[in-house]
PDB file of all heavy atoms in Angstrom:
ATOM      1  N   CYS P  28      47.370 -67.327 112.003  1.00 89.00           N
ATOM      2  CA  CYS P  28      48.292 -66.225 111.696  1.00 89.00           C
ATOM      3  C   CYS P  28      48.504 -65.325 112.916  1.00 89.00           C
ATOM      4  O   CYS P  28      49.638 -64.897 113.212  1.00 89.00           O
ATOM      5  CB  CYS P  28      47.758 -65.414 110.525  1.00 89.00           C
ATOM      6  SG  CYS P  28      47.759 -66.310 108.955  1.00 89.00           S
ATOM      7  N   ALA P  29      47.434 -65.065 113.648  1.00 90.00           N
ATOM      8  CA  ALA P  29      47.555 -64.224 114.839  1.00 90.00           C
ATOM      9  C   ALA P  29      48.414 -64.900 115.893  1.00 90.00           C
ATOM     10  O   ALA P  29      49.253 -64.249 116.552  1.00 90.00           O
ATOM     11  CB  ALA P  29      46.157 -63.905 115.390  1.00 90.00           C
ATOM     12  N   GLY P  30      48.253 -66.215 116.070  1.00 90.00           N
ATOM     13  CA  GLY P  30      49.051 -66.935 117.054  1.00 90.00           C
ATOM     14  C   GLY P  30      50.520 -66.959 116.683  1.00 90.00           C
ATOM     15  O   GLY P  30      51.399 -66.742 117.542  1.00 90.00           O
ATOM     16  N   LEU P  31      50.826 -67.241 115.403  1.00 87.00           N
ATOM     17  CA  LEU P  31      52.227 -67.273 114.969  1.00 87.00           C
ATOM     18  C   LEU P  31      52.888 -65.901 115.095  1.00 87.00           C
ATOM     19  O   LEU P  31      54.068 -65.800 115.487  1.00 87.00           O
ATOM     20  CB  LEU P  31      52.294 -67.768 113.514  1.00 87.00           C
ATOM     21  CG  LEU P  31      51.865 -69.222 113.272  1.00 87.00           C
ATOM     22  CD1 LEU P  31      51.901 -69.550 111.791  1.00 87.00           C
ATOM     23  CD2 LEU P  31      52.763 -70.186 114.051  1.00 87.00           C
ATOM     24  N   TYR P  32      52.154 -64.873 114.769  1.00 85.00           N
ATOM     25  CA  TYR P  32      52.718 -63.533 114.871  1.00 85.00           C
ATOM     26  C   TYR P  32      52.890 -63.113 116.339  1.00 85.00           C
ATOM     27  O   TYR P  32      53.859 -62.436 116.702  1.00 85.00           O
ATOM     28  CB  TYR P  32      51.835 -62.534 114.137  1.00 85.00           C
ATOM     29  CG  TYR P  32      52.327 -61.118 114.201  1.00 85.00           C
ATOM     30  CD1 TYR P  32      53.413 -60.721 113.411  1.00 85.00           C
ATOM     31  CD2 TYR P  32      51.730 -60.191 115.053  1.00 85.00           C
ATOM     32  CE1 TYR P  32      53.873 -59.417 113.475  1.00 85.00           C
ATOM     33  CE2 TYR P  32      52.187 -58.891 115.120  1.00 85.00           C
ATOM     34  CZ  TYR P  32      53.257 -58.498 114.331  1.00 85.00           C
ATOM     35  OH  TYR P  32      53.713 -57.204 114.395  1.00 85.00           O
ATOM     36  N   TYR P  33      51.963 -63.549 117.192  1.00 85.00           N
ATOM     37  CA  TYR P  33      52.025 -63.189 118.607  1.00 85.00           C
ATOM     38  C   TYR P  33      53.235 -63.797 119.291  1.00 85.00           C
ATOM     39  O   TYR P  33      53.886 -63.166 120.125  1.00 85.00           O
ATOM     40  CB  TYR P  33      50.730 -63.617 119.296  1.00 85.00           C
ATOM     41  CG  TYR P  33      50.697 -63.305 120.774  1.00 85.00           C
ATOM     42  CD1 TYR P  33      50.444 -62.002 121.218  1.00 85.00           C
ATOM     43  CD2 TYR P  33      50.939 -64.301 121.716  1.00 85.00           C
ATOM     44  CE1 TYR P  33      50.422 -61.716 122.573  1.00 85.00           C
ATOM     45  CE2 TYR P  33      50.909 -64.012 123.064  1.00 85.00           C
ATOM     46  CZ  TYR P  33      50.655 -62.717 123.501  1.00 85.00           C
ATOM     47  OH  TYR P  33      50.630 -62.451 124.846  1.00 85.00           O
ATOM     48  N   PHE P  34      53.545 -65.021 118.913  1.00 85.00           N
ATOM     49  CA  PHE P  34      54.694 -65.696 119.537  1.00 85.00           C
ATOM     50  C   PHE P  34      55.996 -65.445 118.765  1.00 85.00           C
ATOM     51  O   PHE P  34      56.989 -66.140 118.997  1.00 85.00           O
ATOM     52  CB  PHE P  34      54.429 -67.191 119.635  1.00 85.00           C
ATOM     53  CG  PHE P  34      53.359 -67.536 120.634  1.00 85.00           C
ATOM     54  CD1 PHE P  34      52.087 -67.915 120.210  1.00 85.00           C
ATOM     55  CD2 PHE P  34      53.614 -67.483 121.994  1.00 85.00           C
ATOM     56  CE1 PHE P  34      51.101 -68.244 121.133  1.00 85.00           C
ATOM     57  CE2 PHE P  34      52.630 -67.812 122.911  1.00 85.00           C
ATOM     58  CZ  PHE P  34      51.361 -68.189 122.486  1.00 85.00           C
ATOM     59  N   ASP P  35      56.001 -64.472 117.871  1.00 84.00           N
ATOM     60  CA  ASP P  35      57.199 -64.080 117.115  1.00 84.00           C
ATOM     61  C   ASP P  35      57.802 -65.237 116.326  1.00 84.00           C
ATOM     62  O   ASP P  35      59.021 -65.316 116.123  1.00 84.00           O
ATOM     63  CB  ASP P  35      58.268 -63.494 118.060  1.00 84.00           C
ATOM     64  CG  ASP P  35      57.836 -62.161 118.644  1.00 84.00           C
ATOM     65  OD1 ASP P  35      57.037 -61.459 117.959  1.00 84.00           O
ATOM     66  OD2 ASP P  35      58.238 -61.846 119.763  1.00 84.00           O
ATOM     67  N   ILE P  36      56.942 -66.132 115.874  1.00 85.00           N
ATOM     68  CA  ILE P  36      57.439 -67.234 115.033  1.00 85.00           C
ATOM     69  C   ILE P  36      57.655 -66.736 113.619  1.00 85.00           C
ATOM     70  O   ILE P  36      58.603 -67.147 112.941  1.00 85.00           O
ATOM     71  CB  ILE P  36      56.446 -68.407 115.078  1.00 85.00           C
ATOM     72  CG1 ILE P  36      56.322 -68.921 116.528  1.00 85.00           C
ATOM     73  CG2 ILE P  36      56.855 -69.517 114.123  1.00 85.00           C
ATOM     74  CD1 ILE P  36      55.300 -70.026 116.693  1.00 85.00           C
ATOM     75  N   ILE P  37      56.761 -65.864 113.157  1.00 84.00           N
ATOM     76  CA  ILE P  37      56.905 -65.269 111.827  1.00 84.00           C
ATOM     77  C   ILE P  37      56.708 -63.770 111.969  1.00 84.00           C
ATOM     78  O   ILE P  37      56.103 -63.286 112.930  1.00 84.00           O
ATOM     79  CB  ILE P  37      55.889 -65.853 110.821  1.00 84.00           C
ATOM     80  CG1 ILE P  37      54.447 -65.679 111.357  1.00 84.00           C
ATOM     81  CG2 ILE P  37      56.157 -67.319 110.525  1.00 84.00           C
ATOM     82  CD1 ILE P  37      53.381 -66.148 110.384  1.00 84.00           C
ATOM     83  N   ASP P  38      57.226 -63.027 110.983  1.00 87.00           N
ATOM     84  CA  ASP P  38      57.073 -61.577 111.044  1.00 87.00           C
ATOM     85  C   ASP P  38      55.750 -61.157 110.391  1.00 87.00           C
ATOM     86  O   ASP P  38      54.974 -61.987 109.906  1.00 87.00           O
ATOM     87  CB  ASP P  38      58.256 -60.889 110.384  1.00 87.00           C
ATOM     88  CG  ASP P  38      58.440 -61.322 108.939  1.00 87.00           C
ATOM     89  OD1 ASP P  38      57.521 -61.977 108.377  1.00 87.00           O
ATOM     90  OD2 ASP P  38      59.488 -61.020 108.366  1.00 87.00           O
ATOM     91  N   PHE P  39      55.533 -59.845 110.336  1.00 87.00           N
ATOM     92  CA  PHE P  39      54.250 -59.342 109.848  1.00 87.00           C
ATOM     93  C   PHE P  39      54.042 -59.637 108.366  1.00 87.00           C
ATOM     94  O   PHE P  39      52.933 -59.960 107.932  1.00 87.00           O
ATOM     95  CB  PHE P  39      54.177 -57.827 110.107  1.00 87.00           C
ATOM     96  CG  PHE P  39      52.891 -57.220 109.617  1.00 87.00           C
ATOM     97  CD1 PHE P  39      51.719 -57.330 110.360  1.00 87.00           C
ATOM     98  CD2 PHE P  39      52.852 -56.545 108.397  1.00 87.00           C
ATOM     99  CE1 PHE P  39      50.540 -56.776 109.903  1.00 87.00           C
ATOM    100  CE2 PHE P  39      51.665 -55.984 107.942  1.00 87.00           C
ATOM    101  CZ  PHE P  39      50.507 -56.099 108.696  1.00 87.00           C
ATOM    102  N   THR P  40      55.097 -59.547 107.579  1.00 89.00           N
ATOM    103  CA  THR P  40      54.964 -59.764 106.131  1.00 89.00           C
ATOM    104  C   THR P  40      54.555 -61.194 105.835  1.00 89.00           C
ATOM    105  O   THR P  40      53.635 -61.456 105.042  1.00 89.00           O
ATOM    106  CB  THR P  40      56.287 -59.442 105.424  1.00 89.00           C
ATOM    107  OG1 THR P  40      56.677 -58.089 105.717  1.00 89.00           O
ATOM    108  CG2 THR P  40      56.155 -59.627 103.930  1.00 89.00           C
ATOM    109  N   ILE P  41      55.210 -62.126 106.467  1.00 90.00           N
ATOM    110  CA  ILE P  41      54.863 -63.536 106.244  1.00 90.00           C
ATOM    111  C   ILE P  41      53.462 -63.819 106.777  1.00 90.00           C
ATOM    112  O   ILE P  41      52.708 -64.605 106.191  1.00 90.00           O
ATOM    113  CB  ILE P  41      55.908 -64.448 106.909  1.00 90.00           C
ATOM    114  CG1 ILE P  41      57.292 -64.208 106.295  1.00 90.00           C
ATOM    115  CG2 ILE P  41      55.510 -65.907 106.786  1.00 90.00           C
ATOM    116  CD1 ILE P  41      58.400 -65.009 106.919  1.00 90.00           C
ATOM    117  N   THR P  42      53.120 -63.180 107.880  1.00 89.00           N
ATOM    118  CA  THR P  42      51.764 -63.365 108.423  1.00 89.00           C
ATOM    119  C   THR P  42      50.711 -62.906 107.426  1.00 89.00           C
ATOM    120  O   THR P  42      49.696 -63.583 107.216  1.00 89.00           O
ATOM    121  CB  THR P  42      51.612 -62.578 109.736  1.00 89.00           C
ATOM    122  OG1 THR P  42      52.587 -63.027 110.680  1.00 89.00           O
ATOM    123  CG2 THR P  42      50.222 -62.763 110.316  1.00 89.00           C
ATOM    124  N   ALA P  43      50.951 -61.754 106.787  1.00 90.00           N
ATOM    125  CA  ALA P  43      49.991 -61.235 105.810  1.00 90.00           C
ATOM    126  C   ALA P  43      49.892 -62.153 104.603  1.00 90.00           C
ATOM    127  O   ALA P  43      48.800 -62.435 104.094  1.00 90.00           O
ATOM    128  CB  ALA P  43      50.397 -59.827 105.385  1.00 90.00           C
ATOM    129  N   ILE P  44      51.053 -62.649 104.160  1.00 92.00           N
ATOM    130  CA  ILE P  44      51.050 -63.564 103.010  1.00 92.00           C
ATOM    131  C   ILE P  44      50.312 -64.853 103.351  1.00 92.00           C
ATOM    132  O   ILE P  44      49.530 -65.387 102.557  1.00 92.00           O
ATOM    133  CB  ILE P  44      52.493 -63.844 102.564  1.00 92.00           C
ATOM    134  CG1 ILE P  44      53.145 -62.571 102.033  1.00 92.00           C
ATOM    135  CG2 ILE P  44      52.512 -64.933 101.501  1.00 92.00           C
ATOM    136  CD1 ILE P  44      54.620 -62.723 101.698  1.00 92.00           C
ATOM    137  N   LEU P  45      50.559 -65.386 104.561  1.00 91.00           N
ATOM    138  CA  LEU P  45      49.911 -66.621 104.989  1.00 91.00           C
ATOM    139  C   LEU P  45      48.392 -66.432 105.083  1.00 91.00           C
ATOM    140  O   LEU P  45      47.613 -67.299 104.668  1.00 91.00           O
ATOM    141  CB  LEU P  45      50.484 -67.068 106.331  1.00 91.00           C
ATOM    142  CG  LEU P  45      49.956 -68.400 106.877  1.00 91.00           C
ATOM    143  CD1 LEU P  45      50.299 -69.533 105.917  1.00 91.00           C
ATOM    144  CD2 LEU P  45      50.553 -68.680 108.258  1.00 91.00           C
ATOM    145  N   PHE P  46      47.987 -65.270 105.572  1.00 90.00           N
ATOM    146  CA  PHE P  46      46.542 -65.024 105.695  1.00 90.00           C
ATOM    147  C   PHE P  46      45.899 -64.898 104.299  1.00 90.00           C
ATOM    148  O   PHE P  46      44.781 -65.376 104.065  1.00 90.00           O
ATOM    149  CB  PHE P  46      46.297 -63.758 106.500  1.00 90.00           C
ATOM    150  CG  PHE P  46      44.830 -63.411 106.617  1.00 90.00           C
ATOM    151  CD1 PHE P  46      43.986 -64.141 107.447  1.00 90.00           C
ATOM    152  CD2 PHE P  46      44.288 -62.359 105.863  1.00 90.00           C
ATOM    153  CE1 PHE P  46      42.635 -63.829 107.541  1.00 90.00           C
ATOM    154  CE2 PHE P  46      42.942 -62.052 105.959  1.00 90.00           C
ATOM    155  CZ  PHE P  46      42.110 -62.794 106.792  1.00 90.00           C
ATOM    156  N   LEU P  47      46.611 -64.246 103.361  1.00 92.00           N
ATOM    157  CA  LEU P  47      46.101 -64.151 101.999  1.00 92.00           C
ATOM    158  C   LEU P  47      45.977 -65.529 101.356  1.00 92.00           C
ATOM    159  O   LEU P  47      45.057 -65.787 100.567  1.00 92.00           O
ATOM    160  CB  LEU P  47      47.007 -63.245 101.156  1.00 92.00           C
ATOM    161  CG  LEU P  47      46.969 -61.750 101.510  1.00 92.00           C
ATOM    162  CD1 LEU P  47      47.969 -60.989 100.657  1.00 92.00           C
ATOM    163  CD2 LEU P  47      45.558 -61.190 101.300  1.00 92.00           C
TER     164      LEU P  47
END
Side-chain angles (χ1 to χ4, degrees):
C28 292
L31 294 177
Y32 179 76
Y33 179 78
F34 291 105
D35 292 332
I36 299 176
I37 56 176
D38 57 12
F39 179 79
T40 303
I41 299 177
T42 301
I44 295 174
L45 183 62
F46 178 74
L47 290 177

